């Protein structure tokens, strides 16, 4: 039996494990701040203040969907919420970063993954700390 749009098991929603390929650049066309796309994974919806603006953009997306986002550098922490990018060396004059992402997989998070994710969020508080 075919799933309807609202019943698709692989759409992003709270407590889904999301794996993305992500690249960051100085323009949408030039992902020059990361040498190659990196793996970015998290459990959607674990933040203490609700969904971050980034997570809100992902609701109902599915594997294969792509996303391109322009983020003023000073708003990066607010935009990502409890999530954080790996260490990236930003040019001193950079005002805006461009994030290109592709959703690789979406699945139910295991109970163990949820507990680990909650522990990391509790350890970091409302700020991201690199997990």
């Amino acid at each position: 039996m075919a799933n309807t749009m609202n019943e698709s098991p692989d759409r992003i929603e709270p407590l889904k494990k999301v794996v993305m390929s992500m690249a960051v650049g100085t323009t949408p066309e030039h992902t020059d701040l990361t040498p190659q796309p990196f793996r970015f994974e998290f459990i959607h919806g674990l933040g203490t203040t609700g969904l971050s603006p980034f997570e809100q953009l992902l609701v109902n997306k599915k594997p294969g969907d792509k996303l391109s986002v322009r983020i003023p550098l000073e708003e990066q922490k607010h935009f990502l919420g409890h999530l954080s990018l790996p260490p990236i060396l930003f040019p001193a004059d950079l005002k805006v970063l461009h994030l290109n992402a592709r959703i690789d997989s979406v699945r139910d998070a295991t109970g163990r993954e949820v507990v680990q994710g909650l522990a990391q969020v509790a350890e970091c508080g409302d700020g991201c700390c690199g997990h």
Side-chain angles (χ1 to χ4, degrees):
M1 178 180 228
N3 286 332
T4 64
M5 276 189 359
N6 295 334
E7 295 174 342
S8 179
D10 61 350
R11 292 198 181 264
I12 296 175
E13 59 186 41
L15 299 184
K16 294 283 189 170
K17 173 92 178 232
V18 179
V19 178
M20 306 174 81
S21 296
M22 197 174 287
V24 181
T26 54
T27 71
E29 299 80 22
H30 298 97
T31 53
D32 51 349
L33 298 177
T34 51
Q36 62 189 21
F38 58 90
R39 182 180 173 106
F40 189 72
E41 59 183 83
F42 61 95
I43 298 173
H44 189 263
L46 287 187
T48 59
T49 58
L51 295 179
S52 69
F54 177 68
E55 289 175 300
Q56 290 173 19
L57 289 176
L58 297 174
V59 172
N60 287 324
K61 300 264 190 253
K62 60 187 184 316
D65 285 351
K66 294 181 180 179
L67 182 71
S68 184
V69 183
R70 177 187 182 279
I71 308 167
L73 195 57
E74 70 271 3
E75 293 180 25
Q76 174 191 348
K77 289 182 180 179
H78 167 73
F79 183 75
L80 293 171
H82 70 285
L83 305 173
S84 63
L85 297 175
I88 297 172
L89 184 60
F90 296 124
D93 61 344
L94 185 70
K95 302 279 188 248
V96 174
L97 57 98
H98 296 269
L99 192 91
N100 292 329
R102 183 188 73 232
I103 298 161
D104 295 328
S105 68
V106 178
R107 65 168 174 78
D108 290 333
T110 66
R112 179 181 173 91
E113 290 170 326
V114 171
V115 169
Q116 287 174 333
L118 288 170
Q120 289 173 349
V121 169
E123 179 182 323
C124 298
D126 288 335
C128 57
C129 64
H131 291 293

